[in-house]
Amino acid sequence: MRKTLVLFIAFISILTFSATAVAPKAGVSILGDSYSTFEGHVTPDTNYVWYFKAPKPGRTDVDKVSQTWWHQLICDKGLRLVVNNSFSGATICNRGYRGDDYSDRSFLTRVKELGSPEIILVFGGTNDSWAGVEVGEYLDENGKTADGSAPDLYTFRPALDIMLSTMKDYYPGADIYFIVNSELRPEITESIVTLCGRHGIETVMLENIDKQSNHPSVKGMAEIARQVGAKLK
């Protein structure tokens, strides 16, 4: 009887421990542009940033990392940051401002540098829109062009298609969300929605984001965190 009681107590203890044990936090990685940067908080640290610790009142009221959308989201949802690979001014495709070659910083180039996350948040397309890059043509379901030529990765649609395909293959099991900025060129927004739908990636369509110098203010950052958080599973 005593042995049975001891075993019963041990069994109850195991159940109690299992019920109260803290589940590991889901890891989140960010692939972004200036909207997701902050000085000292991007990987690699050679990436250009737009938000700095020193106040810049004529430019932005964001001067603390805790004010960024991603920091607020991670804290609010009990997540864990794996990698924030954001690069100010970066385009998704390999073409940038003034027609320059941005293959050293494009989303397409950086897509495999996100660690091992359970959740991936992609926030891009803004610079492609602002820089006036060509949208190009959609690839077919096999990733091929209509005439069989190599995809032009210096145009938006082929680069985005291959980037999303690479992401799905390289991070199996990860939940991927694409955050779509407001006020983009219509053809950029349409391309993102179409290709994310093709690859089974959920989009977060931002609305009414307060901005200074075309970048989220403190108020805008909080609104981005709220809108993205509402979409997370």
Side-chain angles (χ1 to χ4, degrees):
M1 181 68 179
R2 179 181 178 83
K3 183 178 181 181
T4 301
L5 180 61
V6 170
L7 290 174
F8 177 75
I9 293 173
F11 178 69
I12 293 299
S13 298
I14 292 172
L15 288 180
T16 301
F17 175 79
S18 299
T20 58
V22 178
K25 294 181 178 181
V28 58
S29 287
I30 302 157
L31 182 61
D33 53 29
S34 60
Y35 280 36
S36 306
T37 62
F38 195 87
E39 182 183 11
H41 293 271
V42 294
T43 302
D45 60 9
T46 51
N47 287 1
Y48 298 163
V49 302
W50 201 87
Y51 293 100
F52 292 87
K53 299 173 184 177
K56 298 180 182 294
R59 171 171 167 158
T60 182
D61 57 354
V62 176
D63 55 19
K64 297 179 179 63
V65 70
S66 60
Q67 296 168 330
T68 62
W69 70 267
W70 52 270
H71 197 284
Q72 294 179 65
L73 178 71
I74 287 170
C75 291
D76 290 346
K77 294 295 183 179
L79 302 172
R80 171 180 54 85
L81 180 64
V82 178
V83 170
N84 179 7
N85 191 333
S86 296
F87 197 123
S88 182
T91 46
I92 286 175
C93 72
N94 289 335
R95 182 72 64 207
Y97 290 95
R98 300 170 299 279
D100 291 349
D101 188 329
Y102 271 27
S103 56
D104 65 332
R105 69 198 67 179
S106 69
F107 282 58
L108 184 61
T109 296
R110 294 181 287 124
V111 67
K112 293 183 179 180
E113 300 171 3
L114 300 177
S116 300
E118 285 77 42
I119 300 169
I120 299 174
L121 302 176
V122 184
F123 198 171
T126 298
N127 290 299
D128 300 82
S129 182
W130 290 351
V133 301
E134 295 181 28
V135 291
E137 300 298 325
Y138 287 116
L139 304 179
D140 66 21
E141 60 183 11
N142 297 312
K144 305 294 184 181
T145 60
D147 61 2
S149 60
D152 184 358
L153 302 182
Y154 289 84
T155 61
F156 187 71
R157 286 169 178 164
L160 177 60
D161 196 346
I162 292 175
M163 187 203 82
L164 295 177
S165 178
T166 301
M167 186 172 283
K168 292 285 288 188
D169 290 343
Y170 205 73
Y171 305 98
D175 292 327
I176 305 172
Y177 300 83
F178 198 113
I179 306 167
V180 186
N181 195 12
S182 57
E183 304 168 325
L184 300 181
R185 288 160 46 201
E187 60 269 32
I188 294 291
T189 299
E190 181 268 332
S191 300
I192 294 171
V193 172
T194 297
L195 290 172
C196 283
R198 184 180 294 181
H199 289 281
I201 293 173
E202 188 162 0
T203 55
V204 183
M205 310 299 293
L206 297 181
E207 298 179 346
N208 303 317
I209 303 302
D210 188 69
K211 298 174 183 177
Q212 290 180 252
S213 306
N214 293 320
H215 287 70
S217 62
V218 169
K219 181 179 178 182
M221 288 289 192
E223 191 57 31
I224 293 172
R226 186 191 69 78
Q227 293 183 29
V228 175
K231 281 287 190 119
L232 291 187
K233 297 176 183 177

